[in-house]
Amino acid sequence: MTFASPFSLAITTMTALALLGLPIGLSMICGSVLYLWITGMDMGTAAEQFLNGMYSNYIILAVPLFILAAEIMNSGSMTERLLRFCNVLVGHMRGGLAQINVVQSLIFAGMSGSAIADAAGSGRMMQNMMTREGRYTPSYAAALTAVTAVIGPILPPSIPMVVYALVSDVSIGYLFLAGVVPGLLMTGMQMLQVAWDARRHNFPVEPRVSLREVPRVTWRALPTLLMPVILLGCIYTGVTTPTEAAALAAAYAVLVSVILYRSLSWREGYNAVLISAKTSASIGMMIGGALVFNYVVTIENIPETLRAVLTGWELSPIQFLLLVNVLLLLLGCVLEGTAILLIIVPVFIPAAQALGIDLVHFGVVVVVNIMLGLVTPPYGLLLFIMTNISGSPMKDIIRDCLPFLGWMLLCLAIITFFPDLVLWLPRLAGYAG
């Protein structure tokens, strides 16, 4: 492949347009159309790939529905009641508010599947609670909110896993189950780091909730806590598909917020739908652009070429996974996670299959890498969000993130070297991999 080849010109055009500020989805479409024009192919093929891919993949519908469910939760009082329940569980520990931040992300993960929804919703409330009366520094509260939000897309349901299932054609249900152990492992590591920080910095101890209050707080939070139980129960009992479960999650969030809690006004509901529509359109355009660009990549036979090259290197499965980890961690510093899933990961999948790597295990490794990218400078999207929410300099937030990043890298190493740990739950559910 020379610099003047059609594929090289398409890549150059796509990169240049993205750097100039054009959305990555449109940049991929423009680069792909240029390739089709130069090679003399029908440029209408781009529209055909876009429309066929978007309308024939029922799974894509899960993305906007999970986003809507998260926005409804944040607009109503579901998140607030969840925080009060978490206070009952761990609020009495030293550094209790920090532990609440970790636990609420664990529970919220079973409802939204989005790290950004977690950080922008409950994260804003946690930032205010932790910094009130100077109990925690704004940078530590922001860093903790950023790293705990990463748990969301690792545990089920998970929007990045939905996207990975789209490009790899593996079962979403098994992918969701495979994320449970890594998600719980990462949660435990974060709680250990918070406990260490609490002793080292003498974090405050919150007043213990009286036993008389526990039933009332639990009862008020029960409809919220039932959401992940209903959602995942419907998926794994076969009552609904994952896409139908996403619709159920959105409907349940509306039902609880409007009828039970009576905390969602018409204006708040409209804003939640509007934000969800904008976010979904952005992700949808990126998916559509990736479908068109992946057609060009397939024509150029890039996945098979890469598979042949890696086979020639005679890499073992572990060596291949380590190489992928390094590449994805580096790319995560400069690229958005969905773009990596849609553009880069499909190129690796044939090589992973050729090496006998289980695609469910590979998917979890990929998603954890991408989540690390959300809190890795310079591009880390969660770092930008928490800088905006907290008003703290990014360098201070990054400094406080570093110990947690170390734990997360350890978690990545564990799930890379021990695939049986990841595949244990899917195998219990009947997965043959």
Side-chain angles (χ1 to χ4, degrees):
M1 182 177 67
T2 64
F3 180 74
S5 70
F7 188 70
S8 297
L9 290 174
I11 292 291
T12 303
T13 300
M14 185 179 75
T15 305
L17 291 174
L19 291 174
L20 289 172
L22 191 70
I24 187 67
L26 291 176
S27 300
M28 286 189 284
I29 292 174
C30 290
S32 303
V33 169
L34 176 65
Y35 174 89
L36 296 172
W37 177 65
I38 293 174
T39 55
M41 299 178 65
D42 183 6
M43 288 187 288
T45 304
E48 180 184 355
Q49 292 296 317
F50 186 102
L51 294 174
N52 286 343
M54 293 298 287
Y55 287 104
S56 64
N57 283 297
Y58 180 62
I59 188 176
I60 295 177
L61 278 174
V63 176
L65 291 169
F66 278 131
I67 292 172
L68 177 61
E71 289 298 331
I72 294 294
M73 285 181 59
N74 287 329
S75 298
S77 64
M78 294 178 73
T79 304
E80 181 183 348
R81 292 167 189 256
L82 173 62
L83 291 177
R84 290 175 183 168
F85 176 75
C86 293
N87 183 45
V88 169
L89 296 180
V90 295
H92 59 279
M93 302 167 62
R94 181 162 296 280
L97 272 178
Q99 297 287 11
I100 289 171
N101 202 336
V102 180
V103 174
Q104 67 84 23
S105 288
L106 173 66
I107 300 176
F108 196 89
M111 306 177 195
S112 73
S114 169
I116 294 172
D118 188 352
S122 60
R124 190 180 296 273
M125 282 185 274
M126 286 305 312
Q127 183 73 24
N128 293 335
M129 290 170 62
M130 290 181 69
T131 55
R132 191 180 301 151
E133 299 175 359
R135 285 180 284 189
Y136 298 82
T137 63
S139 63
Y140 185 85
L144 183 61
T145 298
V147 297
T148 57
V150 166
I151 299 171
I154 298 172
L155 287 161
S158 164
I159 291 175
M161 286 186 181
V162 171
V163 178
Y164 175 80
L166 174 68
V167 300
S168 65
D169 198 30
V170 301
S171 165
I172 301 179
Y174 290 139
L175 272 173
F176 282 179
L177 278 178
V180 172
V181 172
L184 293 176
L185 180 63
M186 191 173 291
T187 301
M189 290 177 172
Q190 290 182 352
M191 293 185 75
L192 283 174
Q193 181 61 42
V194 168
W196 170 258
D197 290 341
R199 288 184 175 276
R200 193 158 53 100
H201 299 295
N202 196 30
F203 286 161
V205 178
E206 304 302 316
R208 184 184 290 269
V209 177
S210 66
L211 288 177
R212 182 181 300 175
E213 287 290 305
V214 171
R216 185 179 65 85
V217 173
T218 304
W219 177 255
R220 295 187 67 191
L222 186 61
T224 302
L225 297 173
L226 283 176
M227 183 173 175
V229 177
I230 294 172
L231 181 62
L232 300 177
C234 287
I235 293 175
Y236 295 119
T237 57
V239 174
T240 66
T241 66
T243 303
E244 292 166 346
L248 179 63
Y252 184 81
V254 172
L255 178 70
V256 171
S257 296
V258 174
I259 298 179
L260 289 183
Y261 292 161
R262 299 181 181 179
S263 58
L264 188 70
S265 66
W266 283 106
R267 180 179 293 276
E268 289 170 336
Y270 172 77
N271 288 335
V273 172
L274 189 62
I275 293 171
S276 302
K278 290 179 178 179
T279 305
S280 301
S282 175
I283 295 175
M285 182 57 70
M286 190 177 296
I287 292 174
L291 291 170
V292 178
F293 181 70
N294 286 341
Y295 175 75
V296 173
V297 169
T298 303
I299 292 175
E300 284 288 312
N301 210 26
I302 300 297
E304 286 302 312
T305 302
L306 179 63
R307 184 189 64 79
V309 170
L310 292 174
T311 302
W313 288 357
E314 298 183 350
L315 295 176
S316 68
I318 287 296
Q319 289 172 328
F320 173 78
L321 287 173
L322 290 175
L323 175 63
V324 170
N325 281 341
V326 171
L327 290 174
L328 292 183
L329 287 172
L330 291 174
L331 288 170
C333 295
V334 293
L335 286 179
E336 198 271 333
T338 307
I340 295 174
L341 274 171
L342 293 170
I343 303 171
I344 308 298
V345 173
V347 177
F348 288 128
I349 288 175
Q353 287 178 306
L355 289 169
I357 295 171
D358 186 271
L359 289 188
V360 171
H361 172 236
F362 186 64
V364 174
V365 171
V366 165
V367 169
V368 172
N369 270 289
I370 289 171
M371 290 305 99
L372 280 169
L374 290 175
V375 288
T376 305
Y379 185 80
L381 185 57
L382 288 176
L383 297 177
F384 286 108
I385 291 173
M386 294 315 302
T387 297
N388 181 52
I389 289 175
S390 67
S392 298
M394 183 175 287
K395 62 180 180 63
D396 293 342
I397 297 178
I398 292 172
R399 179 199 64 214
D400 290 331
C401 276
L402 291 178
F404 293 96
L405 277 172
W407 283 108
M408 292 159 75
L409 286 170
L410 175 60
C411 180
L412 176 61
I414 291 172
I415 66 172
T416 299
F417 284 100
F418 301 100
D420 289 340
L421 192 66
V422 176
L423 297 174
W424 173 63
L425 270 179
R427 285 169 178 164
L428 283 181
Y431 179 58

